[in-house]
Amino acid sequence: MMSEKKTQTMKPATAAQKLGILLEAAPEEFQNAPVSRDELAALEANPPAWLVELRANGPHPKQVVAAKLGVSISGLVRGAVTEPLTSAEIQALLQQPPAWLVTERATQYEVREEQIRVKDRDAERARKIAHVARQAAQNEKAGRGR
């Protein structure tokens, strides 16, 4: 006896996050109903006018605002940005950055540079370990060949 496969759904808040939109700005029917994976895929593949508008003009959720400003979410908090911002508000901040934004963008740049440095260091260490292991294997093989 085969049972029908149950459709997986997600909360509207999860779907909004995956779509990069502010749930409160979405239409009421989106806010109040679970979203299936197929429905989410359809929204991403062929976004309706309301989704195109929200993505283009906002208001945007904090993770999108932070990404567009080039800062961390913590940086937004330190800059006292607690409300969603529209694309126009984000553009205005980028065109005439306040002191907190300049500081936070510099901090974010330093964090990224450090992440790259650590990643490169770890890759170099892994390369050296692999090289030593290859040499040991070759030496062992050469020792057995005698």
Side-chain angles (χ1 to χ4, degrees):
M1 182 170 133
M2 295 274 293
S3 63
E4 261 189 58
K5 188 176 178 186
K6 188 175 185 302
T7 303
Q8 285 187 320
T9 61
M10 62 192 84
K11 293 177 182 172
T14 304
Q17 187 174 10
K18 288 179 181 282
L19 292 170
I21 61 168
L22 189 66
L23 179 62
E24 297 77 22
E28 206 169 306
E29 61 270 13
F30 180 87
Q31 292 183 40
N32 296 328
V35 180
S36 72
R37 291 189 183 280
D38 290 341
E39 289 168 333
L40 182 69
L43 286 169
E44 287 176 330
N46 191 11
W50 65 264
L51 181 55
V52 172
E53 172 68 19
L54 269 180
R55 284 177 163 170
N57 300 313
H60 301 288
K62 64 184 167 216
Q63 60 271 30
V64 173
V65 172
K68 287 179 180 269
L69 289 175
V71 301
S72 66
I73 292 174
S74 301
L76 285 180
V77 173
R78 286 189 293 271
V81 176
T82 56
E83 297 297 314
L85 298 179
T86 64
S87 295
E89 291 167 327
I90 292 168
Q91 267 315 111
L93 283 172
L94 289 172
Q95 287 170 357
Q96 301 229 314
W100 72 264
L101 182 55
V102 173
T103 301
E104 291 300 333
R105 287 182 71 137
T107 300
Q108 189 72 354
Y109 177 80
E110 290 169 13
V111 167
R112 283 195 198 108
E113 288 295 305
E114 179 63 8
Q115 288 170 337
I116 291 167
R117 187 192 68 74
V118 169
K119 184 178 174 189
D120 290 349
R121 180 203 65 198
D122 292 349
E124 179 63 17
R125 285 180 180 169
R127 189 191 66 72
K128 286 179 180 176
I129 289 169
H131 178 73
V132 169
R134 275 194 306 276
Q135 279 189 322
Q138 286 173 346
N139 290 343
E140 188 176 315
K141 193 176 178 182
R144 274 196 239 129
R146 286 185 203 159

